[in-house]
């Protein structure tokens, strides 16, 4: 609206809503396309028809963009009040590959992550806000058991740090510091007091940021801390990533009892880090390994010889004699 008036569009405190004083200081209706799309239907069919759908506080239907670790991705339109479980498992077809559901992030980058024990939550504006998330843009990102929730928070805070326009300090500097601390935690450099510092920065941004971006930006951190605090503590205190996801906190290891010397991993390793020979158990040179994960992906599932370790030390290499794979094996 500021641009339509010929001025530079920039964030400002909004004490008066635009439907009271907007374009040219006149009442102006500013809504997104999804809302406008409902208007002709309501005019044609009547308000009673529209309010037949939904809950007491959230009327009608809502379109969600269902993505992430889910079988059926795409846009889904459901009546308000549909449970997360129905959206994810009945409509979305659940998690592919037999993996376990871990969380769903709703509302776009500054939404929150909702854990498994809240799958029966009925979606609605108030319901999502109450559990630390929001309806926002209608994004719904499904995460499985291999997702690290600390890294999820780091990822969204990184996105929001980029998006910050820089006008006010709590958002510009606060997010930058939050990103630095979260990155350190995912790299095994977290220290005592980090969680408390992140909480303080979040509180300041929520209270003092100028616009909604800064005020809602701490949500990804706050919700993952609320529901997955043990993951933060494992990263900081034990230097361990429970989801075996943070690169700096894991090692790849070939189990000598499972390796069949098929040579697949050695051929694909981009760092030439796998000591391979015909009929010999393969061994990863931990000094050369860049933790790219290729060997883990290419080792045939029937062997499943490559494993990820986090926190525990990598066992020493087996002796040359024990590396020989005999026919009976
Ligand atoms: S909260 Fe962030 S995006 Fe909003 S005005 Fe402040 S710096 Fe800019
Ligand atoms: S993780 Fe990557 S670099 Fe390391 S051994 Fe496997 S393929 Fe090679
Ligand atoms: S792909 Fe698996 S079974 Fe084949 S050599 Fe590598 S670790 Fe052994």
């Amino acid at each position: 609206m500021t641009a339509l008036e010929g001025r530079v569009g920039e964030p400002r405190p909004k004490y008066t809503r635009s439907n009271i004083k907007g374009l040219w200081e006149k009442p102006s209706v500013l809504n997104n396309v999804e809302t406008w799309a409902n208007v002709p239907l309501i005019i044609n069919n009547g308000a009673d028809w529209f309010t037949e759908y939904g809950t007491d506080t959230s009327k009608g239907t809502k379109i969600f963009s269902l993505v992430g670790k889910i079988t059926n991705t795409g846009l889904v339109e459901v009546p308000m009040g549909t449970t997360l479980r129905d959206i994810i498992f009945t409509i979305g077809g659940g998690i592919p590959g037999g993996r376990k559901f871990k969380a769903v992030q709703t509302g776009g980058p500054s939404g929150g992550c909702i854990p498994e024990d809240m799958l029966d939550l009925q979606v609605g504006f108030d319901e999502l806000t109450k559990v630390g998330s929001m309806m926002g843009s209608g994004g719904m990102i499904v995460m499985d058991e291999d997702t690290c929730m600390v890294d999820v928070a780091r990822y969204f805070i990184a996105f929001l740090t980029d998006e910050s326009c820089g006008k006010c300090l709590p958002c510009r500097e606060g997010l930058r510091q939050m990103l630095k601390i979260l990155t350190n935690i995912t790299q095994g450099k977290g220290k005592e007091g980090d969680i408390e510092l992140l909480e303080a920065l979040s509180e300041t941004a929520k209270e003092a940021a100028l616009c909604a971006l800064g005020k809602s930006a701490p949500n990804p951190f706050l919700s993952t801390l609320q529901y997955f605090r043990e993951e933060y503590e494992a990263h900081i205190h034990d230097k361990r990533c429970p989801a075996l996801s943070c690169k700096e906190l894991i090692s790849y290891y070939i189990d000598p009892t499972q390796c069949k010397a098929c040579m697949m991993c050695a051929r694909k390793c981009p760092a030439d880090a796998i000591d391979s020979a015909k009929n010999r158990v393969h061994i990863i040179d931990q000094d050369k390994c860049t933790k790219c994960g290729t060997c883990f992906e290419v080792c045939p599932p029937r062997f499943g010889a490559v494993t990820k370790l986090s926190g525990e030390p990598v066992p020493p290499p087996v002796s040359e004699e024990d590396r020989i794979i005999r026919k009976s094996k």
Side-chain angles (χ1 to χ4, degrees):
M1 285 196 286
T2 315
L4 285 174
E5 291 173 353
R7 295 183 288 125
V8 176
E10 55 180 22
R12 61 185 159 80
K14 269 168 68 179
Y15 303 115
T16 314
R17 306 291 303 176
S18 51
N19 55 3
I20 296 168
K21 202 165 83 173
L23 186 65
W24 313 120
E25 308 235 318
K26 300 281 189 304
S28 310
V29 182
L30 183 64
N31 280 115
N32 65 25
V33 177
E34 186 188 9
T35 305
W36 284 116
N38 280 315
V39 174
L41 293 170
I42 296 169
I43 291 172
N44 287 338
N45 299 310
D48 289 344
W49 166 81
F50 186 75
T51 53
E52 267 173 34
Y53 302 93
T55 64
D56 287 347
T57 49
S58 300
K59 304 289 181 198
T61 63
K62 174 72 195 155
I63 297 173
F64 288 102
S65 166
L66 199 52
V67 294
K69 303 289 176 62
I70 182 114
T71 306
N72 308 319
T73 58
L75 294 176
V76 298
E77 183 175 12
V78 292
M80 291 283 198
T82 306
T83 64
L84 288 169
R85 191 184 299 281
D86 270 347
I87 299 173
I88 294 165
F89 289 93
T90 311
I91 301 171
I95 319 297
R99 311 301 293 160
K100 209 168 159 283
F101 171 88
K102 185 165 187 178
V104 59
Q105 204 260 6
T106 72
S110 39
C113 295
I114 303 169
E116 190 186 10
D117 60 6
M118 291 187 174
L119 273 173
D120 291 316
L121 183 87
Q122 296 182 305
V123 294
F125 293 102
D126 294 346
E127 290 76 2
L128 288 170
T129 308
K130 264 187 222 149
V131 299
S133 191
M134 58 160 119
M135 189 72 84
S137 57
M140 208 175 254
I141 305 173
V142 179
M143 300 163 195
D144 71 7
E145 57 190 305
D146 297 330
T147 312
C148 167
M149 302 314 289
V150 184
D151 197 45
V152 164
R154 183 206 57 76
Y155 173 83
F156 286 116
I157 297 290
F159 178 86
L160 294 159
T161 305
D162 263 1
E163 291 294 302
S164 167
C165 80
K167 184 165 175 168
C168 66
L169 187 99
C171 170
R172 182 188 69 236
E173 286 307 321
L175 288 183
R176 211 179 287 180
Q177 292 309 316
M178 285 182 79
L179 175 59
K180 209 162 145 190
I181 299 167
L182 286 166
T183 306
N184 279 342
I185 296 176
T186 56
Q187 292 178 346
K189 294 182 272 184
K191 43 187 197 307
E192 288 299 327
D194 276 354
I195 293 178
E196 292 72 19
L197 193 48
L198 285 164
E199 283 175 317
L201 289 164
S202 300
E203 208 45 51
T204 308
K206 278 174 69 177
E207 287 294 322
L210 189 57
C211 79
L213 186 139
K215 284 184 187 299
S216 59
N219 281 346
F221 161 69
L222 290 171
S223 63
T224 49
L225 182 69
Q226 183 179 355
Y227 301 120
F228 300 95
R229 190 182 184 100
E230 67 288 353
E231 292 202 22
Y232 281 87
E233 285 169 352
H235 281 73
I236 295 170
H237 303 137
D238 311 331
K239 307 300 171 206
R240 191 170 59 79
C241 173
L244 298 168
S245 161
C246 292
K247 212 170 157 182
E248 275 79 0
L249 297 178
I250 59 167
S251 311
Y252 288 89
Y253 167 70
I254 296 175
D255 182 345
T257 64
Q258 303 298 320
C259 178
K260 298 292 181 284
C262 71
M263 301 182 102
M264 193 81 86
C265 57
R267 278 194 214 109
K268 299 276 183 185
C269 174
D272 198 18
I274 300 178
D275 180 1
S276 70
K278 214 171 163 197
N279 295 325
R280 301 243 157 188
V281 164
H282 287 33
I283 295 172
I284 294 176
D285 181 337
Q286 299 294 333
D287 293 332
K288 283 190 188 171
C289 175
T290 59
K291 302 177 184 178
C292 70
T294 305
C295 52
F296 183 79
E297 279 156 27
V298 300
C299 183
R302 63 184 186 283
F303 304 149
V306 183
T307 53
K308 289 190 215 174
L309 304 174
S310 178
E312 58 276 70
V314 179
V318 289
S319 70
E320 276 308 305
E321 174 60 21
D322 289 342
R323 282 184 69 184
I324 300 168
I325 296 179
R326 304 186 198 282
K327 281 219 171 99
S328 60
K329 207 174 172 186

